[in-house]
Every structure is written in C-alpha cells, then in structure tokens.
Amino acid sequence: YSVFLWKLTLSFSEITAELQRCRLEATPVDFGDYHPLKPITVTDTKSRRGARKGSTSSSSSSSSSAAPDPLSSMLDGTDPLSMFAAASAAVSLCVQDLGRKRREREEEAVGSDFEPWSAKRGEILARFTTTEKLSIGSQRELLNLSQQDYANRIEELNQSLKEAWASDQKVKALKIVIQCSKLLSDTSVIQFYPSKFVLITDILDTFGRLVYERIWTMCSDPRPLPESFSADDVNDTAKETCLNWFFKIASIRELIPRLYVEAAILKCNRFLNKSGIQETLPRLTAMIRGIGDPLVAAYARAYLCRVGMEVAPHLKDSLNRNFFDLLGTFRQIQGDSVQNQLVLQRVEIPEYLTLYSPAINWILQCIAYRAPEPLLTEMMERCKKLGNNALLLNSVMWAFRAEFVAARATDFITMIKDCDEAGFPKHLLFGSLGRSLACADPPEAERLPILNEAWKVITKVRSPQDYINCAEIWVEFTCRHFTKREVNTVLADIIKHMTPDRAFEDAYPQLQSVIRKILTYFHDFSVLFSMERFLPFLDMFQKDSVRVEVCRSIMEVFIKHQLEPTRDPVILNAMLHICKTMHDSVNALTLEDEKRSLALLINGFIRMVSFGRDFEQQLSFCVEARATFCNLEPVLVQLIHTVNQLAMETRRVMRGSHSRKTAAFVRACAAYSFITIPSLSSIFCRLSLYLLSGQVALANQCLSQADAFLKAAVSLLPEVPRSISVEGKLRPSEGFLLDFISNFLSTLLVVPDHPEHGVLYLVRGLLNMVQDYTWEDNGDAKLRVYINALPLLAAMSQEAYLYCIPRVDSNETLYGGDPKFLSEINKLCETLIGQVLDHLKALGRDESVRRQAALAFSLFGCLLAHGDLRNNKLNQLAVNLWNLSHKHGHCDTRASVRTLEFMKHQAQQPDMAHLSDTVQRLALQSRT
C-alpha cells in the first residue's frame, strides 16, 4: 500500500505507465482454470521511473491478499480528490447544464423502444415484499427493521452519500457505497432480495453518476468536452483523479462490493482509454463466477448488464456471456446449500424461482434488444436443451420480441407442456405467452388451437387470484381474433370461477381490465349487449366506486363510437341500466364536478336515442328517463330540450295531416315540460326553459300552453336573488336578469292578448314585476328595463309587425290598428319615459353625473331609433337628453360622433329630412 501512496506523487505519464503494469493483461482467459477468489498477481516487467538512486528494477510479483486496507490510510488528508475540490467548485453552471444534456443524449443511445430499468423499479418494489424483520449492519438501531423502515434507512444513506459528496468528503461517500454493497450478499430474508437490490443499486447509480460528473467537470475547463470525446481530450488532472478512483476500488477486499462499485463507475473508463470498457466488462463478468449464491449472482449479472447497456449497448458479447454463465448456475438451485436455506426460511421452490424473474427478464431484454433472429433462435434452442426449466422459459417469453414469440407460439406451448408443474406453475407460463400474443399475431391457422390449449390450463387453476391474473391476459387475445361467441364463453368461465365465496371482491382491477379490453375491440353495442354473460359479468362489481367507474368507461366508449342514433331495445335497456347505476351513486356528499361529469355522459346517451317518426315512443322514453334521472338537473334540462325539439319535429313532419292528433301530442310535450321545469333548482334555468317552452308552444299554435309558460316566467321574477353562484363564485344577478327580460320582451311582440285579461296584460304584468323587484341601490337596471320596453311598444304600434309566427294571429291582427289600442300603448310609453326622467333628475341631485349621462344617452338612442322626432315635444326631449348626457363630459365621445354621422346619413332619406334640423341643435361638449 505504501507503493500505492507513492504513486500519487508521480507525474501523469508515470502513473499511466504504472497502470499498464498493474492492470490485468487483456489476454484470453481460460475460464475453466480461472476463479475470482484466487490471489490476483500483478507482474512488473518494466523499470520504474523516478526510483531512488542506485536502485534497480526487475520483474516482481505481489499478491492482493497481502495488501492492507487502504481506506483507513486515506483519512490523513492526503486524498488527491481533495486537492481538486477548489478547481471543481469554479466550474460554471453552463458547463453543468451541458453535462446534463450530454448525459440525456447518451442515455437515449439505446432508443426509445428499449424499456428502461426505471420503468420496472416500482413494480419490483410492489411485488417483492416481506413482513420479516430486516437489518443493516450490526448497530442496534439498524437491527429488526420493518420493510418500510429499511427502505427509509436506505434512502437516508442515499442522502448521506450526496451530502458527503457535496461537502468534499469523498472517502466517507465511498465507505457508504461499500457498506450498502455488502448488503447484497445477505439473503437472510430471501423474499425481499429483489426489492433490496433495487434500493441498493439506486445508491450505486448515484455514486457512479457523481464520480463521472466530477471527472467530466474537471475536463470542461476552460471549454466543455465534445459530445463524442476520446481519452486524448481528457486533461492530465482528470485522468489522474479517475485512476485514483479505480485504485481505491481495486483495494476493496470483499468480492461483491468490489464488483458492484467498479461496475457503478464503469463509464469512467472513457476518460482513460478507448478500449477500457470493452476490456473491463469481460473481467467483471468472470468475477461474478466467484459468487456462490445463485440468486445473488443472477442479480449481479443483471446489474452488470444494466450498466453495460447504459454505457456500451453495442458490446453484446458480455451480455451473452452473462446469460450463458447464468444457465450454468441453474443446477445449483437443486444443491444442498440452496435447499437448506429455503427450508430454514420456509420458502417453497415456486416462490423462490419467481425471485429470479426480474434479473433474468432484464438480462434477456438486454440481449434480445435489436438482436438478430438467429441469435434469438439459438438462445431458444439452448433453453430447450436444458429441459424442464420453466423459469427460464418464462423470462424468454417476457423478454423476446412479441413477434418472435407469436410466430413460434406452438413451439412455446410444447415447451410449456414439458415443464414440471411443481417447479413453476404453468398458468404463469401461459400468462407470459398471452402477453406476447396480445402484442403480435400468431399464424391464423394456429389461433384457435392456441386458445384451446391455453384455456385448458387456465380453467383448471384453483386459486381465484391466480386464475383471474392469467384469464385477464388472454381476454385480449380472444377479443382480438374471435367473435362474441368465444368472448361470451370466456366471460362465463370467469363468472364461474370468481363468484364462489365472492372472490371477485379481491380482483376488481383485473375485472376492470377485462372490461377495458372488451370495449377496445367491440364498438358495436348491439353485439356487445347481445352477449348473454356481459351484464351478469357487470353484476360482479359490487363496490359502488368501482361499479360507477366501470359504467363510466362503458358510457365513454358508447359516446365515442356510437355514431348513429339508435332505437335498439337491447341497447336501450342495457344503457338505461348502466346510466341508472351512475345516477344512483349520487348523494349529498357527491361533488358538483362529479355530478356534471355523470350528467354529461347520461346526456350523451339521451341524445343518441331516436325512435324516428314514432314520436309517442320517444316521449315515453323521456318520461321514463325523467323518473330514472331525477337527481341530476342537467339531465332533466336535456330531457326538456329533447321534448321541445320533439314537438317542433312533430309539427314539421305531420303538417297538414292528422292535425288533431298532432296538436294533442304537442300539448302532451308542453305538459311534460310544464311539470318538469319546477323541479329545477336554478332559477335562471327555470326562467329560460319557461320562455323556450312558451316559444315552442306558440310556434305550434298552442296558445293556452304558451300563455301558461309565459305567465309562469313572469310570476317567477320576484324570486330571482340579487346574487347567484357562477362557477363557485357569487356574482350579481342583474346582468343575467336584464338579458332574460330583453329576450322575453322580444317574444311578447308575437303573443296575442288573452281575451279575458285586457290589453297588453303580459307586458303590464312584466313591468309591474319589474317595478316591485328589489334592485341594487346604486344601479339603474330597472330604468334600463323601461327603456328596453319602449322598442317593443313602438313595434306594437305599427300596422305590420317586424316578425310573426305562421298561423298565429298577433295583436296587429286582433286589434287592426284600433285607436284605443294605440292609445294604451302611448299611455304606457309616457309612463315609462316619465319614470326614466324622474330618475335622471334624482341622479342630478345626487351628483351621480356619470350614471346620469349614460342613462340619458341610452334613452336618446331609443327615441332616435324608435320615436317619431317630427313630433316637436319628442324632438325637444331628444335634444334635452343629448345635452344632458354631454353636460359634464362623461358621454362616450366616439359613440356620440358615430351617432351624429348616422343622423346625417339618415337625414338624406326623403322622409327623414327633419333630422337635419335636429342635428344642428346637437353639439359635442367637453367636461368643464
């Protein structure tokens, strides 16, 4: 070890020469005689540069077994890594950013079609668990830990590693990594070993990344390394640091930590020479042969393959060698050492074999990635020669390309049949085969025999959980290649196995997966619901939340793929049942977002129901739906809209024939809406639907029904609150109310007066309600309603109305320009204008000049558009309103200019010449 410390004072060229002397020669190794636990002999055949005067050099040998522990001697502060701390701290953030981008590009070297280790990590941790107590080291506080405590402790060590590294305690960081690596030789709780491997290798990955980034950073001053750098681009300081790390790791006494830690920094060989990684991988592969426990050795090979794929995915030879070495260890499983360990820990052989799966799967995935087909075929033949190795066969089907497996599905089934059921359950093998066949298609002629052979095994599985895990996989193959007959048979078999003892309650995820797969391939719901066992299959979802989720998934597919309206009774009955299930899940605790989501799905179904010209059947469906979905207001609103559309469609189709029957049906539709609307809680929804239904009734010449709807809307106005909730926030309701009243007023033009209720009874009723309504104190909404009513009254005084409804006699026909009718209109106009003028005076007294200007200009515009300004009084009133609106300069100047331009343009018309005089009297005034 004194020689090792002395080397650190040499120049870089001397260190390089020394490394060549100390390095294992890259000559072919006779693996039959080699064993990693034998002493490593390093032969020096060159003279040492810088030796003491008078000394001579000759070939010498030293055994690694005689070297003292170097880590204890490094604590004196002579660690060369510390010497470079100041230099590395000065590297810019830009360089670090470039390094991160470079790492990301290098990690993508294997392509996006290669499933990364990170994708498997979570599944392994969730699958391999234990209730046994675990230990880390010999300290009392690290003994008898639960699985969660163990994972937390490992994470703490990971954080300690990062903190030690950040504080320039590189030796402490290395000790942490060595301590963690030693845990991988412990199989005292063997069921947890795969998860322990995942946790420990996370720390190794962190360490390898930190070392690599540190050395790369040292190479990036003054300029960053190029993306495809070579050892010639690396400066002497970085090479010296890199060599030092390899020397430290080489001095680790125990095989497993030495192997894992060197594998973790394998990528750092790029800084030393071009062939470093290529030379190191075979040596590390051979070292694994010295591990006696086959499970520990399998995971060591998996880690080496993982690192190899990250840093040199093109070096396939080491991957293949690891795999073939792995094949040679299977005979150890039957040895006394492993068998005694399993007896001691009470672990059965099938359970023990599954512990190998993540490691073997990964190794085979690495080998099979973009591998030529002859290589895959050779590996498959080797598996055949081993015979009765279900574990390996399972991993082959997991890792090999799905197309390769599917093309040889019959061969794989033969191999599965030859496997011993006691060692590895055949249903697991068929499950792995089913996953491949779900991604790639076997030859068409073989599909039915494959399904029959698989289901013979699956249906005999006694454990409900094992059964459904395998059956769920093969459902996709069945749906993909067969008809509803075969799928129905599979569903019946699943029901048969999962119903006893309510076994389905523990298999909801798998049962949901079955539904999703069926919906993926069956979009014709008449076919889907004609399967006798489909609805009974749905009945197995007894848990409310799961049942609703399944119904939602069915509805989403229906809405997406049901392109044409349907009246199929099979579909309607089944969908009503599914929608009712969703509706019945609503209770007082259901969130509004959830209610809206469910209502949206149900409304999608309702819109797809059509009975063509069988309007009575359509109305009957709406009646049934109203009773079924009474707790979801958006659904009731949709039903009212549907019925109104139905009434309009009936009148269009049946025009001129069966008029009595048509009128009776339209009245039935009106009655449906009139009964349903009061059940809604939203007052503006009720108002708008009363108005809409009244308009529909009026269009269908149902005057009494229209009158009832409009009167109901007027009667509801006093109940409108001053604020309403809009998207969870309280908003003033005046704006919504003004919009509704404006729409309502436009409808009243075509509504004939009732012979028993007097002239303009609906207009008067509306204005009375407006008068009595409690408006905002500092608002002008009521006066704006009065101003909006003036155009309606002006239109009613015309000899011919602006618009009308066919076959409905409006007031223009009923009164025929009767002077008494016109007198009533004039009186009402005078009353409204008087109310507005009084309010304008009040605003002037209160110095609310801005509101006064806006309201005066609004009334001026109304008189200009709808009044006869040839009347001197009306003309003078208009001029006064203009002057009032501009008195204090608060009127919109642009609007005023456009208004004057409009008046000038209108004055050029033959019958509008009087506007010229009026324009001369209007002036723009500014604020004084």
Side-chain angles (χ1 to χ4, degrees), residues 217-279:
T217 300
M218 296 172 68
C219 301
S220 301
D221 190 14
R223 64 181 184 275
L225 280 177
E227 289 299 321
S228 55
F229 71 90
S230 66
D232 296 335
D233 301 316
V234 180
N235 58 48
D236 291 351
T237 301
K239 285 187 176 180
E240 191 171 335
T241 302
C242 185
L243 284 170
N244 194 39
W245 275 112
F246 281 107
F247 283 137
K248 288 179 180 179
I249 294 169
S251 64
I252 300 173
R253 290 184 178 181
E254 298 182 34
L255 172 62
I256 289 179
R258 184 169 71 250
L259 168 70
Y260 271 102
V261 179
E262 183 173 358
I265 68 165
L266 178 67
K267 193 176 182 180
C268 294
N269 279 281
R270 289 189 63 193
F271 297 112
L272 300 178
N273 57 71
K274 184 177 180 180
S275 60
I277 295 176
Q278 187 172 359
E279 295 170 359

Side-chain angles (χ1 to χ4, degrees), residues 137-155:
S138 58
Q139 301 178 28
R140 176 175 298 179
E141 63 271 15
L142 300 180
L143 299 176
N144 298 323
L145 302 175
S146 67
Q147 177 180 321
Q148 186 59 50
D149 292 338
Y150 186 93
N152 293 339
R153 289 286 187 177
I154 295 297
E155 179 58 30

Side-chain angles (χ1 to χ4, degrees), residues 7-8 10-19 240 243 247:
K7 289 174 188 168
L8 299 179
L10 302 179
S11 66
F12 173 72
S13 60
E14 293 169 327
I15 291 176
T16 304
E18 188 67 25
L19 176 65
E240 191 171 335
L243 284 170
F247 283 137

Side-chain angles (χ1 to χ4, degrees), residues 544-696:
D544 290 343
S545 59
V546 178
R547 184 169 66 249
V548 172
E549 189 62 32
V550 170
C551 292
R552 288 173 65 102
S553 64
I554 296 174
M555 289 302 306
E556 288 168 357
V557 175
F558 177 83
I559 292 172
K560 181 178 180 180
H561 295 284
Q562 186 70 30
L563 303 179
E564 297 293 332
T566 181
R567 61 185 298 173
D568 188 327
V570 175
I571 295 179
L572 297 186
N573 290 335
M575 296 304 292
L576 276 173
H577 172 73
I578 291 170
C579 290
K580 185 177 187 302
T581 299
M582 295 193 300
H583 169 270
D584 292 348
S585 68
V586 175
N587 53 46
L589 301 179
T590 305
L591 299 176
E592 289 300 320
D593 285 345
E594 177 70 8
K595 291 181 181 179
R596 280 194 293 270
S597 176
L598 295 176
L600 189 64
L601 294 173
I602 296 174
N603 286 343
F605 162 61
I606 291 173
R607 285 192 291 268
M608 295 307 298
V609 176
S610 174
F611 289 87
R613 294 195 175 190
D614 192 346
F615 300 122
E616 292 183 358
Q617 187 65 30
Q618 186 87 33
L619 182 60
S620 298
F621 169 80
C622 292
V623 171
E624 182 182 358
R626 179 178 61 187
T628 304
F629 308 124
C630 58
N631 291 330
L632 290 173
E633 285 197 9
V635 178
L636 297 179
V637 172
Q638 176 63 45
L639 288 171
I640 294 171
H641 281 289
T642 300
V643 169
N644 282 325
Q645 292 172 1
L646 184 61
M648 295 300 295
E649 182 69 10
T650 303
R651 174 60 65 178
R652 184 186 68 81
V653 172
M654 303 300 291
R655 182 177 300 168
S657 61
H658 307 291
S659 57
R660 288 187 178 181
K661 185 177 180 180
T662 303
F665 180 79
V666 171
R667 287 195 293 271
C669 292
Y672 179 98
S673 299
F674 197 79
I675 293 171
T676 308
I677 292 174
S679 63
L680 305 176
S681 62
S682 170
I683 192 164
F684 278 104
C685 191
R686 279 184 278 164
L687 285 171
S688 62
L689 288 175
Y690 273 134
L691 179 57
L692 174 64
S693 301
Q695 292 167 342
V696 170

Side-chain angles (χ1 to χ4, degrees), residues 651 663 666-667 670 693-711 750-755 757 761-762 805-810 814:
R651 174 60 65 178
V666 171
R667 287 195 293 271
S693 301
Q695 292 167 342
V696 170
L698 198 62
N700 284 280
Q701 299 94 47
C702 296
L703 300 184
S704 60
Q705 283 75 20
D707 196 62
F709 281 118
L710 298 177
K711 285 170 61 178
V750 294
V751 178
D753 282 341
H754 195 285
H757 295 143
Y761 83 102
L762 278 176
I805 295 177
R807 289 182 287 183
V808 173
D809 293 332
S810 301
L814 295 181

Side-chain angles (χ1 to χ4, degrees), residues 329 492 720 927:
T329 65
V720 176
R927 188 182 306 175

